[in-house]
Amino acid sequence: MTPQTPPSSHSSHRPRALIVGSGISGLTTALALHRAGWDALIVERAPRRRTGGYFVRFNGPGYRAAERLGIVGQLPDRRHPRGRVYEVDHRGRLSRGLAFPKFMGGTPLLTLLRSDLEQVLYEQVRDRVEIRYGTSPVRITQDRNRVTAVFADGGEESADLLVGADGIHSTVRSLVFGPEDLYRKDFGHVVAACVMDRSIPGLKDGDCMIATDAGRAAWITSYVDHPPVAFFVYRTPWPAAEIRKPPADALRAAFAGFGGRIVPPMLAAMDGAESTAFDQVSQIHINRWSQGRVVLVGDSAWCMTLHSGQGSGMGIAGGELLARKLAEHPGDIAVALGAWEQELRPEIARHQKTALYMQHYFMPANTVGKLARDAFVRVASSPGTQAVGRFLGGLLRPQGAAAGFRRGPGTLEA
């Protein structure tokens, strides 16, 4: 187990959290708990910090939580002021696409990368929280007073609370709540994303090009001060088998003869990418996010899929809210976890439902869906149809109490 920072001495009167996972949810939870008077230790399976990832549209509850954590001013907005969104037809011809608004869900809408969020959060915790890389839990036990994790390298740690923030394929969830198959709902989609090693001909700074077809879609987005990012999603009857293939081979087969002069260069450039994220698209549905002194946060608890547009944001919102509820109920973890879930779950459920219909915008299921999507984009991107954009933004905005975030001091606003 490799420590990132020297082990911190924690005093007996400060509660202690063991956080498994150093992604957005884990880092946010560590930062928020530290500020709430907790000691924290982060344990990460990977041997070192990971970078990369696809683009993020950051707004709504996650943005408000980031404001409370004081990190909004450090987040870059990689949207180019002259950037445009283009749709690409099957012959590679370009037409005007549906641009993202500057405000959505009652907050500014930032365009950035997952790695941007992780970097800002990491800089906040690196000198405050110990991070150990290269191991993961193999056994978790608990009693009324403590929870203990035994790690693959033979190490052992005890804490007042164990937080599973280790993603959709969570080891913590499997050890405490049961096998992943009990809670994973597959979409029958596979997704791939990578940072390009070169630009695409015809792609100007800040432009986004979207090529969609029945059952497959490719997006490429360029940014301020960052190489372009390619994003692919496609349907397959056997996603679990598909992701065992080399990503380059699987994508070339899925996107053969598609995208004119845009997609083939994307596939070629992918060969030089440092790494490619490649996984099936799934949601996690579990009827309780905590068990005793173990709690799940982020994708390990509620993965909403990329189609929701709120995965990173709700990871931040969930971790920040958890720390506030623990601070409101000192010494009573059960009550704090119950209050946290009661407030957060309706919002998560709403975003999971949103993903069910937004998937058809990202990738239409069939020819009829493709025609309907094309018609919508033509209307919504035409002059004089701003009301359509406001309507779409309204679909992604929490509606009153149903959102689970009450208005008032110290609570997340809709």
Side-chain angles (χ1 to χ4, degrees):
M1 192 185 295
T2 305
Q4 171 68 29
T5 58
S8 57
S9 59
H10 53 279
S11 56
S12 59
H13 67 278
R14 286 171 63 91
R16 187 177 192 236
L18 174 60
I19 300 169
V20 180
S22 66
I24 289 171
S25 299
L27 292 171
T28 299
T29 303
L31 174 60
L33 285 175
H34 174 80
R35 294 184 177 181
W38 286 60
D39 291 317
L41 165 65
I42 299 177
V43 175
E44 167 59 48
R45 179 199 302 269
R48 64 189 63 86
R49 282 191 64 226
R50 289 175 286 196
T51 59
Y54 45 81
F55 65 88
V56 171
R57 307 294 184 184
F58 189 63
N59 69 296
Y63 186 99
R64 297 190 188 282
E67 283 183 319
R68 283 188 291 274
L69 291 170
I71 63 172
V72 164
Q74 301 167 49
L75 296 175
D77 187 356
R78 296 193 181 274
R79 184 200 311 251
H80 195 285
R82 293 183 298 277
R84 300 286 297 274
V85 177
Y86 295 99
E87 295 282 329
V88 183
D89 69 11
H90 66 285
R91 296 180 180 176
R93 295 175 300 189
L94 303 183
S95 60
R96 183 189 301 223
L98 182 59
F100 287 92
K102 293 183 178 180
F103 290 85
M104 182 177 282
T107 69
L109 177 66
L110 299 182
T111 297
L112 63 166
L113 302 169
R114 286 183 60 90
S115 56
D116 291 328
L117 285 170
E118 289 188 358
Q119 179 64 31
V120 168
L121 290 164
Y122 172 75
E123 292 297 332
Q124 289 291 315
V125 305
R126 61 182 300 180
D127 296 326
R128 299 176 173 91
V129 174
E130 181 184 356
I131 306 176
R132 298 181 189 172
Y133 293 95
T135 196
S136 61
V138 294
R139 186 168 71 253
I140 296 172
T141 58
Q142 59 179 316
D143 56 30
R144 293 182 60 184
N145 300 312
R146 302 287 282 176
V147 57
T148 300
V150 177
F151 298 98
D153 61 0
E156 181 176 313
E157 292 286 346
S158 294
D160 299 281
L161 181 69
L162 188 148
V163 180
D166 47 344
I168 186 172
H169 305 301
S170 169
T171 298
V172 172
R173 189 183 61 235
S174 294
L175 291 173
V176 177
F177 296 81
E180 180 177 307
D181 289 348
L182 296 175
Y183 311 111
R184 194 186 72 234
K185 177 183 177 182
D186 296 331
F187 275 46
H189 303 171
V190 167
V191 62
C194 66
V195 177
M196 309 289 285
D197 69 337
R198 71 195 78 165
S199 185
I200 299 298
L203 184 71
K204 298 180 180 178
D205 288 347
D207 285 353
C208 174
M209 293 185 180
I210 305 168
T212 60
D213 195 8
R216 55 186 179 176
W219 296 49
I220 182 165
T221 308
S222 60
Y223 305 92
V224 174
D225 300 326
H226 196 278
V229 172
F231 172 83
F232 303 88
V233 60
Y234 62 96
R235 287 183 174 272
T236 174
W238 305 107
E242 189 76 5
I243 62 174
R244 294 188 179 95
K245 300 177 182 178
D249 294 346
L251 290 168
R252 281 194 169 86
F255 288 87
F258 174 63
R261 60 185 177 85
I262 302 299
V263 174
M266 290 172 61
L267 294 170
M270 184 184 62
D271 292 335
E274 182 177 345
S275 63
T276 299
F278 190 52
D279 204 351
Q280 58 188 327
V281 178
S282 307
Q283 289 184 341
I284 295 297
H285 293 265
I286 186 168
N287 60 6
R288 188 182 178 99
W289 295 334
S290 64
Q291 188 174 120
R293 292 178 174 269
V294 178
V295 61
L296 304 174
V297 177
D299 283 352
S300 59
W302 58 67
C303 182
M304 300 176 294
T305 79
L306 56 98
H307 301 313
S308 73
Q310 288 291 329
S312 298
M314 293 312 299
I316 291 177
E320 191 270 342
L321 181 64
L322 175 62
R324 284 196 283 117
K325 291 303 177 183
L326 289 166
E328 290 173 10
H329 303 279
D332 199 333
I333 286 177
V335 171
L337 295 181
W340 169 76
E341 184 164 344
Q342 183 179 17
E343 184 163 337
L344 186 61
R345 185 173 279 276
E347 178 78 350
I348 297 300
R350 190 180 69 83
H351 287 302
Q352 286 185 323
K353 291 179 181 177
T354 295
L356 297 179
Y357 59 80
M358 285 301 293
Q359 65 175 308
H360 301 295
Y361 174 75
F362 279 93
M363 181 187 63
N366 49 43
T367 302
V368 173
K370 164 67 172 166
L371 293 173
R373 183 192 180 279
D374 290 348
F376 171 79
V377 170
R378 282 196 301 271
V379 172
S381 59
S382 298
T385 58
Q386 290 83 0
V388 177
R390 289 195 296 270
F391 172 73
L392 180 60
L395 292 178
L396 303 179
R397 181 183 300 120
Q399 299 297 323
F405 294 124
R406 301 186 300 273
R407 291 185 179 272
T411 61
L412 291 171
E413 290 185 345

